[in-house]
Structure formats: C-alpha cells, structure tokens
Amino acid sequence: MNILGIESSCDETAAAVVRDGRVILSNQIFSQADMHAIYGGVVPEIASRSHITVVSRLAEEALREAGLDRGDIDAIAVTAAPGLIGALLVGVNFAKGAALALGVPLIPVHHVRGHIAANYLAFPELEPPFLCVAISGGNTAIVDVRGYTDMRILGSTHDDAAGECFDKAARVLGLPYPGGLPLQNLAEGGDDGAFVLPRAKIEGHPYDMSFSGLKTAVVNIVHNAAQKGEELDRAGLAASFQRAVSESLVPRAMAAAEELGYKTVVVAGGVAANKRVRADFEAACRAAGRELFIPPLKLCGDNGAMIAAQGYYEYVSGVRAGQELNAYATMDLDRVIF
Ligand code: KG4
C-alpha cells in the first residue's frame, strides 16, 4: 500500500511516499529555517504562507522521486495535530483536496506518533511494545507504546519542550535558529561540569519534566556575565546545558522501562539528533542490557515519511477522516480524536 504523507505542522513542508508503513520510496523536505532565522524563532504567519507556496510542488516531487503516478497512491496521510494551527491547516486542506481528487482514503496523523514511527522506517525489526522518549521542538514525553496506535503518556514536560529549551538557550548564547545543532557544536570540547544547572523534579510525578528553570538559569548566567563584563565560558555552559537536558531524560526513561519491564527503548524527535543525548542513551541501555533504537539523523527532524509510516498503522486500525477533518493546535498522543 503506497501512502503519500504530508507534514506542515511547523517550519518544514514535507511530502513523502512510503510503502506498507516501512519502505521509503521518496522523502521531500523543504525547510523554512532560513526565513525564520532573522526573527530568532518561527513566525507562524510566515510559516503558513510558505507552506501554501510549496506544498503542491513538493507532493508532485515526492511522486516523481518515488517513480509513481497519482493513480498509484492508495491513501493520503496528513499531520492534523499538534502544531501551529495555520501551518497545520495548509497541510490538512491540501490533503483533503488530494484525497478527494484521487478518490482515496484520508488519514489524520498525530505529529508525535509520526516521530515515533520514524523508527519503523529505520528499523524493520522494531515492533511495539516498547518504551519511547519523544523529544522534539514542541513536545517532550515518555510514552508507553503498547501498540502501533495504542499509547499511554507516562510523563511529559510541564512547560517548555526540550527542543524549545535548546533553541532558547542557543538564542541567549548568540547562536542562530534553530539552535540545537549550533549549541551542540559549541559544546564540543566544553567542560560539562563548568556550571551547575537545575534538573527539575515534580513531586509525586517521577516521569514528568520541566525545562523552564533550566532555560532561566542559562539566561541568568549569560546576563550576569554580560552585566559584570566577565568573559563567559560559552562552550562550558553549552556542554553543562546539554548534560542537564540529557540527565533530565535518560534516567527517567530507564526507570520507566524498568518499571514496565520493557527490554526496548526508542528515542524519537528532533532532539534525538543530539550527540550527547544519543551517547547517554547508548551508555545507559548498554549498562542495563536494553536494546536502543534511535533514528538516523535525517529521520529525527520533521518529515513526511514518518507521517506516511504512522498513517499506514492508523489506516490498518481503521482510522479514516472525511472532508470535515479539522486541525488542532494541541492534542495528547494517547487521546487522539479527529
Ligand atoms: O522534531 P522537530 O524537527 O520538530 C518538532 O516536531 O517540534 O524538532 C526540532 C527541534 C528544534 O528545537 C531543534 O533545535 C532541535 O529539534 N534539534 C536539536 C538538534 N537538532 C535539532 N537539538 C539538540 N541537538 C541537535 N543536534
């Protein structure tokens, strides 16, 4: 079954064709990052307008790259939540039109479920159940993935997502948007013990997280140094920051896997590209005898293939949408209602 996946929840427009949820036939991504960089973050209106400009062309490119005609597409999957509402609506409306024109089913997909499904594309042997840590720009959660479409959130962030925290910390350090990769590069060779940064705990909720205190601590350190005219150990601060994020994620995930008796740990989302986070998960899983799956870098960030992959499993479980499909800015991945 060939599914065309459409993604437009934030600042990437993406279209891809995936066969049977596992085989990538094409994966077209247009990043708007350069358009937002001068503002230091995503400007929703600019994002929506850019999605409108490129989405049809990208879908055609995805078909061409896959070597398929329109008639070879069996269903259209689209990110319908969560994300920037105007941006989501562009993808949803394009997908509705395409499904109607081609006479094929329309399948709404939760964006974070898509990030998790990126692992099915990279690892043919991977099947639920497993413990997943979903860490992206807009969402951070520890998830019990009981089945392809049966998930339970064990804990999530009470404020900023991990990626958002990376972007804010990078911004105050004078690095460009999106800040994850530049901050990682700055941290290279820095002393991760140079600064003592907070790791928030939430009383009575061992798997919940909070990153706003960490963000504020970084902002204060940078501003205090500037006010005093002191030279700041920027590499040390970046390394200490990465360590604090990683130490907020890895031990929680390992404890959750232990509690549920899962041998498999899966990491998903843009921040899964982070070297420190990857290395810490690798070390922790090796020590605990758990199998670790993290997508290759090209599948960590937003893409259409992950939406088509999850779309396949949603389709198999009976999910369909009509022309009344709407987009939603927020939605929990374990209570998906379209
Ligand atoms: O998954 P994603 O592409 O978008 C959402 O679904 O939100 O994640 C984007 C986030 C951004 O915050 C970006 O800074 C972060 O992922 N990111 C990284 C790295 N590469 C991207 N964070 C840390 N280290 C990286 N190497």
Side-chain angles (χ1 to χ4, degrees):
M1 177 178 195
N2 296 325
I3 297 188
L4 173 65
I6 303 292
E7 157 64 34
S8 70
S9 65
C10 190
D11 60 346
E12 265 99 21
T13 323
V17 182
V18 170
R19 181 166 293 156
D20 298 334
R22 293 279 178 167
V23 183
I24 300 176
L25 301 184
S26 63
N27 199 8
Q28 293 285 326
I29 303 170
F30 175 78
S31 172
Q32 307 172 356
D34 290 350
M35 299 181 193
H36 302 288
I38 54 164
Y39 305 101
V42 178
V43 182
E45 186 59 25
I46 293 174
S48 310
R49 284 166 191 263
S50 173
H51 287 310
I52 291 171
T53 314
V54 303
V55 67
S56 326
R57 191 158 47 87
L58 222 54
E60 291 293 355
E61 275 304 312
L63 288 184
R64 211 182 338 268
E65 187 195 344
L68 299 177
D69 295 324
R70 292 180 187 188
D72 298 321
I73 296 300
D74 300 303
I76 313 274
V78 63
T79 305
L84 299 171
I85 191 66
L88 285 166
L89 279 167
V90 176
V92 165
N93 283 316
F94 174 80
K96 281 197 218 179
L100 191 65
L102 300 181
V104 297
L106 174 65
I107 310 160
V109 174
H110 187 286
H111 180 75
V112 183
R113 287 188 175 198
H115 274 301
I116 297 171
N119 284 280
Y120 304 140
L121 296 166
F123 308 108
E125 70 279 22
L126 177 66
E127 288 177 10
F130 51 77
L131 190 284
C132 179
V133 191
I135 32 177
S136 66
N139 306 272
T140 300
I142 295 177
V143 187
D144 175 6
V145 181
R146 296 183 284 205
Y148 289 106
T149 58
D150 176 14
M151 301 175 200
R152 186 167 59 104
I153 296 178
L154 301 169
S156 55
T157 178
H158 280 223
D159 37 59
D160 295 351
E164 198 178 344
C165 194
F166 260 98
D167 293 339
K168 301 271 170 58
R171 185 173 169 172
V172 76
L173 281 163
L175 300 169
Y177 171 85
L181 183 58
L183 191 142
Q184 172 184 300
N185 293 338
L186 175 62
E188 205 84 33
D191 172 10
D192 69 4
F195 294 86
V196 179
L197 297 172
R199 288 117 171 97
K201 285 204 174 84
I202 294 158
E203 202 58 42
H205 299 277
Y207 303 130
D208 280 358
M209 294 153 279
S210 161
F211 292 100
S212 67
L214 174 59
K215 176 184 72 184
T216 307
V218 173
V219 170
N220 287 344
I221 288 167
V222 174
H223 287 170
N224 285 344
Q227 276 162 10
K228 290 181 188 157
E230 288 170 1
E231 198 184 324
L232 183 68
D233 172 9
R234 291 169 76 251
L237 183 54
S240 305
F241 169 82
Q242 284 195 139
R243 178 178 170 184
V245 172
S246 188
E247 289 181 358
S248 299
L249 297 167
V250 181
R252 280 184 174 86
M254 299 311 287
E258 180 72 36
E259 189 187 324
L260 297 177
Y262 283 155
K263 280 266 162 248
T264 306
V265 173
V266 170
V267 189
V271 181
N274 184 261
K275 265 190 198 169
R276 173 72 195 244
V277 169
R278 292 174 89 93
D280 287 355
F281 268 111
E282 272 157 24
C285 284
R286 206 178 310 118
R290 296 204 160 78
E291 205 175 354
L292 176 69
F293 294 90
I294 311 185
L297 296 190
K298 66 178 185 333
L299 288 174
C300 287
D302 291 349
N303 63 83
M306 69 185 202
I307 301 305
Q310 182 61 24
Y312 174 76
Y313 291 104
E314 300 288 345
Y315 177 85
V316 168
S317 77
V319 172
R320 309 280 187 279
Q323 288 295 315
E324 70 288 350
L325 175 66
N326 204 352
Y328 300 87
T330 57
M331 185 181 284
D332 287 338
L333 65 79
D334 53 356
R335 265 172 290 170
V336 171
I337 303 163
F338 290 111

